[in-house]
Amino acid sequence: MECEEKLARFRQAHLNPFNKQPGPRQHAQGAGEEAPDLAPEEVLPELPPVEPEFRCTERVMDLGLSEDHFSRPVQLRQAIEECKQVILELPEHSERQKDAVVRLIHLRLKLQELKDPNEDEPHIRVLLEHRFYKEKSKSVKQTCDKCNAIIWGLIQTWYTCTGCSYRCHSKCLNLISKPCVRSKVSHQAEYELNICPEAGLDSQGYRCAECRAPISLRGVPSEARQCDYTGQYYCSHCHWNDLAVIPARVVHNWDFEPRKVSRCSMRYLALMVSRPVLRLREVNPLLFNYVEELVEIRKLRQDILLMKPYFITCKEAMEARLLLQLQDRQHFVESDETYSIQDLLDAHTGRLGCSLTETHTLFAKHIKLDCERCQAKGFVCELCREGDVLFPFDSHTSVCSDCSAVFHRDCYYDNSTTCPKCARLTLRKQSLFQEPGPDLDA
């Protein structure tokens, strides 16, 4: 009996502090047993719960994604509120405030990941900004982007990200460490416009630029493969020798030959192919001097922008939705400066020039032949007062840069020093602001 009592007292005094307790002063014991009285010096003070502290570190992009103490939605919401308060307290446009904003974004993304998918999307799983959809196809043979093994659809379950087309086994789903490339496209929609900016393996520490695995040009322990887009080296798991058109080579050399890129670069370029982010006049204005297709396309785009005001004020054109002819290239009806890689690819093959010519003909037919309201908005050359009605997008016309009046090109160049409409507007302004004479004062 004495041994059992000593053993019970020993166990009571050495309880595991990590076990969940029923109360702050109760211990795991039977319902009929009483808790032993503790000496005053043995009573531990009850500490307040520790709140997550905000720290701006160098690796701000990782915050909110790998911290274990932000594992519950309640804690994440509390951290989000604290991060909002910190952003308001920090100086505006400071580096610390920018880091805090990035942290807030990732905390919200982490909270979104912990939420259950909607009821109408039972097969969607959110992970590292990926939205994985459970595939139903069984006969398609794919390769897992995580383990590089073949996905046998007949006997294995696999998922595909709806944003970047990342594929993996169901067993590899929780092992993914690469965030979705679509988030980078949303936050940083721009190209690397330096041709293969190589820095060398020593700048990477002889490790893969993505997974940080040891690599070497000799293939020991792993072969180093260069990405022609980023100029960095990757291991064979992150670089599958995929081919893609390099935007920098297109803009500077008009070179469309596909070159080897990493998996991450391939997904990024695939998502960016239709985004109009290239301003050719700023990056390489001399390109228009050597590529005739671009000169023709630029002229067609300028004409379409001149036709746009006619369609906006025309009821028939709005009902016919003529501007939707360019719904796949909406930036064509906004400006003539920006291009996408897909635009340049189609211009190189001749498809873009043909499609724009057809659209230009359809628009001009509506304005000049089919619609009386649009015809009434034409111009008559005030220099010769002869010929048909003129429109600003006609090839044989010139437009005054001050008043937008339209004239015959030959007439305008012969009388380039004077514009009748500008002179008329100047006289009207002078008559309005002319000082009253003495007769009017009397």
Side-chain angles (χ1 to χ4, degrees), residues 22-24 33-34 53 61 73 106 131 176 206 221 239 250 257 285 289 372 381 388 419:
E33 297 179 4
E34 296 181 359
E53 182 182 357
M61 297 300 292
H106 284 272
R131 291 183 63 83
I176 293 174
Y206 292 90
H239 194 311
V250 173
E257 181 182 354
N289 297 338
E372 294 182 357
C381 180
D388 299 331
C419 173

Side-chain angles (χ1 to χ4, degrees), residues 206-441:
Y206 292 90
R207 292 183 176 274
C208 174
E210 187 168 348
C211 68
R212 308 305 298 168
I215 54 177
S216 172
L217 292 177
R218 297 181 179 179
V220 180
S222 180
E223 178 188 4
R225 299 178 178 178
Q226 188 183 31
C227 174
D228 196 83
Y229 174 67
T230 63
Q232 295 177 319
Y233 290 88
Y234 298 81
C235 65
S236 58
H237 288 279
C238 301
H239 194 311
W240 295 5
N241 291 328
D242 297 301
L243 299 177
V245 175
I246 309 301
R249 296 185 182 275
V250 173
V251 172
H252 295 293
N253 299 339
W254 201 242
D255 180 8
F256 293 88
E257 181 182 354
R259 286 175 169 81
K260 296 179 181 180
V261 295
S262 64
R263 295 290 292 175
C264 183
S265 298
M266 185 199 67
R267 295 192 191 95
Y268 182 77
L269 294 175
L271 292 175
M272 287 283 293
V273 69
S274 298
R275 286 183 171 259
V277 296
L278 294 174
R279 294 183 175 272
L280 296 184
R281 290 185 182 178
E282 298 178 3
V283 180
N284 186 10
L286 296 179
L287 193 63
F288 291 93
N289 297 338
Y290 297 94
V291 183
E292 297 180 359
E293 297 89 342
L294 289 179
V295 178
E296 179 184 357
I297 290 171
R298 181 176 61 181
K299 179 62 171 65
L300 292 173
R301 291 183 62 176
Q302 292 173 349
D303 289 347
I304 290 174
L305 289 177
L306 294 174
M307 296 176 184
K308 180 181 176 181
Y310 288 87
F311 296 145
I312 293 177
T313 57
C314 177
K315 182 179 179 182
E316 289 79 4
M318 296 299 292
E319 292 178 352
R321 298 184 178 182
L322 291 178
L323 289 177
L324 290 182
Q325 297 289 332
L326 296 171
Q327 59 181 349
D328 295 335
R329 307 179 197 266
Q330 281 295 313
H331 54 285
F332 280 13
V333 295
E334 296 174 359
S335 71
D336 62 333
E337 297 289 337
T338 58
Y339 293 83
S340 66
I341 287 295
Q342 189 63 51
D343 296 338
L344 301 182
L345 284 169
D346 293 341
H348 178 64
T349 57
R351 294 173 51 190
L352 181 58
C354 295
S355 62
L356 274 184
T357 302
E358 294 178 0
T359 304
H360 184 279
T361 303
L362 177 64
F363 288 178
K365 180 175 178 295
H366 170 83
I367 295 174
K368 302 177 69 173
L369 299 178
D370 298 342
C371 181
E372 294 182 357
R373 295 184 181 181
C374 294
Q375 292 178 21
K377 298 174 184 176
F379 293 83
V380 175
C381 180
E382 297 186 33
L383 297 175
C384 66
R385 299 185 179 277
E386 295 178 357
D388 299 331
V389 178
L390 304 179
F391 294 90
F393 51 84
D394 288 335
S395 59
H396 60 284
T397 60
S398 295
V399 181
C400 178
S401 57
D402 296 329
C403 64
S404 300
V406 182
F407 308 94
H408 290 111
R409 180 175 299 176
D410 297 337
C411 299
Y412 187 72
Y413 287 153
D414 294 339
N415 302 273
S416 57
T417 57
T418 59
C419 173
K421 187 174 180 180
C422 290
R424 188 166 58 252
L425 293 175
T426 303
L427 292 175
R428 185 179 299 174
K429 289 180 181 179
Q430 292 177 355
S431 62
L432 291 175
F433 293 99
Q434 189 177 8
E435 296 181 0
D439 297 338
L440 296 177
D441 293 339

Side-chain angles (χ1 to χ4, degrees), residues 9 34 40-41 60 72 95 108 111 113 119 156 167 181 194 213 219 222 252 275 320 334 381 397:
R9 286 197 299 271
E34 296 181 359
E41 59 271 17
V60 180
R72 297 181 180 180
E95 292 297 328
R108 287 178 170 173
L111 180 62
E113 291 177 11
E119 295 181 356
Q156 292 177 323
R167 301 182 183 91
V181 182
N194 294 320
S222 180
H252 295 293
R275 286 183 171 259
E334 296 174 359
C381 180
T397 60

